[in-house]
């Protein structure tokens, strides 16, 4: 049989010419390949952080429409091509938490079905982070939300100051838990006169590690308030007493377990000297402010002449602005991870620290495949 002649690759296709405009289209697609930043919020107040981030990146906010239909359903429409691109979804959490979660899930799924290369959620305040432990016959809702985000198509998350660092273990993809403390420490040094005469205060023993971190970095003293009236997370039932004990319950013969003594909180005391000094209370979340107001009253009684409260996430729910305005607290400093412009109008004591710089840098580094170690300089396990 005659042998077939195998022509070189070039000679086989040398006669083929691409249709006019194909080369221009390929060049355009190559130029477009990169990243896009979208906002998943349907309210204008919640897109402020996204606009700050895109301004720092020198990019435009992605074209999309997020709205609620008359029957309450959430609808998301992506108005531009995202094929093969890294997509960053910025989602700040307003008071309507559940709507914000659905907006994020639906937008992530819409981008996934639109063939986005990677979908990274930028969620500065991660919702349901307080429900990360079992409570009686409840559920670990934070773990459920992590599974839902993975199913919707997210491949990475950027967040800030998780309520419990162990939450990162709930996810099946990478989580970058950034810290707001460098910005709050800078605020203390630049905006609080005579901060060298201050003392860092933990309003409960649970917050002592965070307060110690601030105190060591500022070279200041540390005080801890012990014996507050409200229950802490550790005091809540975690399901180990289920089912409840019955008076006439049958006990196995010979089985006598030692009885756990009930906790009894001591009178409220302040461990540390705050007399004649500035007291700076630090925490990760300010939601219901009753405990902060009570702590401020105790510190005033112990001689503190000025009281600041600093936290990463300012949820400021319910009557928080009014209670802060009427309290002994001189200033409440929070970051813009959560929109709180309405609360600021109600209470001039509330101040805001912008953290869009670190979020925009995280986006840039992830897209370019650069190390994130620079954003975690001098950050320890306890921070």
């Amino acid at each position: 049989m005659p042998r077939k002649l195998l022509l070189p690759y070039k000679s086989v296709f040398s006669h083929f010419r691409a249709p006019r405009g194909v080369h221009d289209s390929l060049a355009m697609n190559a130029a477009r390949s990169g990243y896009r930043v979208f906002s998943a919020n349907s309210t204008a107040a919640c897109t402020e952080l996204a606009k700050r981030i895109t301004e720092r990146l020198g990019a435009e906010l992605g074209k999309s429409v997020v709205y609620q239909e008359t029957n309450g359903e959430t609808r998301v429409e992506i108005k531009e091509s995202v094929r093969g691109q890294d997509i960053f979804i910025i989602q700040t959490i307003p008071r309507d938490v559940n709507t914000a979660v659905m907006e994020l899930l639906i937008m992530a799924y819409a981008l996934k079905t639109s063939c986005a290369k990677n979908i990274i959620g930028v969620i500065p305040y991660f919702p349901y982070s307080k429900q990360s432990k079992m409570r009686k016959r409840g559920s670990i809702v934070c773990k459920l939300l992590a599974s839902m985000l993975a199913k919707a198509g997210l491949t990475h998350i950027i967040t800030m100051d998780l309520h419990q660092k162990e939450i990162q273990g709930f996810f099946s993809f990478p989580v970058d838990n950034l810290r707001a403390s460098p910005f709050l420490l800078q605020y203390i040094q630049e905006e609080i006169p005579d901060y060298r005469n201050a003392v860092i205060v933990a309003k409960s023993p649970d917050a002592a590690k965070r307060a110690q971190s601030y105190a060591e970095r500022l070279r200041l003293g540390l005080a801890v308030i012990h014996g507050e009236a409200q229950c802490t997370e550790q005091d809540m039932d975690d399901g180990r007493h289920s089912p409840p004990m019955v008076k006439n319950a049958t006990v196995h013969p010979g089985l006598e377990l030692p009885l756990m003594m009930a906790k009894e909180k001591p009178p409220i005391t302040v461990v540390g000297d705050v007399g004649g000094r500035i007291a700076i209370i630090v925490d990760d979340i300010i939601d219901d402010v009753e405990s902060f107001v009570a702590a401020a009253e105790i510190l005033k009684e112990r001689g503190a002449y000025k009281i600041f409260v600093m936290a990463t996430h300012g949820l400021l729910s319910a009557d928080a602005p009014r209670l802060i305005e009427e309290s002994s607290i001189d200033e409440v400093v929070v970051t813009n991870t959560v929109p709180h412009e309405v609360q600021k109008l109600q209470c001039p004591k509330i101040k805001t620290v912008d953290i869009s710089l670190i979020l925009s840098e995280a986006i840039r580094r992830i897209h370019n495949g650069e190390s994130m170690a620079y954003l975690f300089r001098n950050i320890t396990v306890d921070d």
Side-chain angles (χ1 to χ4, degrees):
M1 294 179 62
R3 300 177 64 182
K4 292 183 179 178
L5 179 63
L6 299 178
L7 297 176
Y9 177 86
K10 183 176 180 181
S11 62
V12 171
F13 293 99
S14 59
H15 67 282
F16 175 79
R17 296 188 61 184
R20 185 177 181 180
V22 168
H23 293 295
D24 295 338
S25 177
L26 291 173
M28 187 178 297
N29 288 336
R32 285 180 178 175
S33 63
Y35 72 94
R36 300 292 292 166
V37 180
F38 287 85
S39 174
N41 286 116
S42 58
T43 56
C46 297
T47 60
E48 182 62 30
L49 180 60
K51 291 178 180 177
R52 287 175 178 266
I53 292 173
T54 51
E55 286 176 4
R56 291 186 180 276
L57 290 170
E60 294 183 358
L61 204 58
K63 298 176 183 177
S64 63
V65 177
V66 183
Y67 61 96
Q68 311 299 319
E69 294 188 341
T70 55
N71 60 359
E73 293 182 356
T74 299
R75 184 174 291 273
V76 175
E77 297 177 3
I78 308 299
K79 296 295 187 178
E80 60 182 290
S81 175
V82 296
R83 183 178 295 273
Q85 297 191 26
D86 292 334
I87 305 299
F88 295 85
I89 309 174
I90 301 174
Q91 180 67 320
T92 51
I93 307 298
R95 291 194 176 188
D96 191 354
V97 178
N98 295 329
T99 298
V101 170
M102 285 304 301
E103 289 172 346
L104 176 60
L105 291 171
I106 296 173
M107 175 167 278
Y109 190 68
L111 293 166
K112 177 183 177 181
T113 54
S114 298
C115 300
K117 181 181 178 182
N118 294 304
I119 304 173
I120 300 96
V122 183
I123 315 171
Y125 168 66
F126 195 79
Y128 289 98
S129 57
K130 287 188 175 182
Q131 298 190 46
S132 58
K133 297 180 180 179
M134 181 63 73
R135 303 294 183 215
K136 290 188 177 180
R137 295 171 183 80
S139 60
I140 305 176
V141 183
C142 194
K143 173 95 169 53
L144 172 63
L145 181 55
S147 301
M148 293 167 65
L149 291 172
K151 190 68 175 177
L154 266 74
T155 58
H156 197 141
I157 277 184
I158 303 171
T159 187
M160 181 165 283
D161 283 335
L162 286 170
H163 187 57
Q164 299 288 343
K165 297 179 182 66
E166 294 79 5
I167 292 174
Q168 295 180 72
F170 293 162
F171 294 88
S172 58
F173 50 77
V175 176
D176 286 312
N177 183 26
L178 304 177
R179 306 295 196 276
S181 52
F183 296 90
L184 296 176
L185 289 168
Q186 184 181 31
Y187 184 93
I188 293 173
Q189 293 174 312
E190 296 179 356
E191 301 297 333
I192 299 181
D194 195 23
Y195 82 93
R196 291 291 183 186
N197 189 38
V199 59
I200 305 299
V201 180
K203 71 178 181 67
S204 69
D206 301 337
K209 283 187 177 181
R210 182 182 299 272
Q212 182 182 358
S213 174
Y214 276 69
E216 290 176 351
R217 282 169 166 75
L218 293 169
R219 278 64 172 174
L220 300 177
L222 176 66
V224 180
I225 299 176
H226 181 49
E228 68 264 66
Q230 77 279 359
C231 295
T232 60
E233 290 186 33
Q234 281 74 8
D235 297 329
M236 299 175 68
D237 292 335
D238 60 1
R240 293 186 178 90
H241 299 296
S242 177
M245 295 179 63
V246 182
K247 290 184 178 180
N248 298 325
T250 304
V251 181
H252 190 278
L255 181 62
E256 294 184 3
L257 297 175
L259 180 64
M260 176 63 74
M261 297 179 63
K263 286 185 178 181
E264 183 176 344
K265 286 186 176 291
I268 296 179
T269 57
V270 179
V271 181
D273 182 22
V274 297
R277 309 179 80 174
I278 300 171
I280 304 175
I281 305 172
V282 297
D283 213 333
D284 63 329
I285 298 174
I286 300 180
D287 192 359
D288 296 325
V289 299
E290 285 84 355
S291 59
F292 292 93
V293 172
E297 294 295 333
I298 295 298
L299 293 171
K300 275 288 185 184
E301 292 176 5
R302 297 297 192 275
Y305 71 90
K306 209 165 188 180
I307 299 171
F308 291 81
V309 176
M310 312 199 77
T312 303
H313 310 296
L315 305 186
L316 303 171
S317 303
D319 293 332
R322 179 182 60 81
L323 294 174
I324 292 171
E325 187 66 26
E326 297 173 356
S327 71
S328 302
I329 298 173
D330 293 283
E331 196 168 284
V332 173
V333 183
V334 294
T335 71
N336 55 345
T337 57
V338 178
H340 53 268
E341 293 303 319
V342 175
Q343 291 89 329
K344 287 181 69 175
L345 293 175
Q346 298 172 350
C347 177
K349 291 182 179 181
I350 300 172
K351 308 297 180 183
T352 307
V353 174
D354 182 27
I355 45 82
S356 61
L357 175 62
I358 191 171
L359 293 175
S360 59
E361 179 63 15
I363 290 174
R364 189 192 68 80
R365 286 176 175 271
I366 289 174
H367 172 64
N368 293 333
E370 299 178 19
S371 171
M372 297 286 284
Y374 179 79
L375 305 182
F376 293 93
R377 292 172 302 167
N378 301 323
I379 299 294
T380 63
V381 177
D382 294 332
D383 289 330

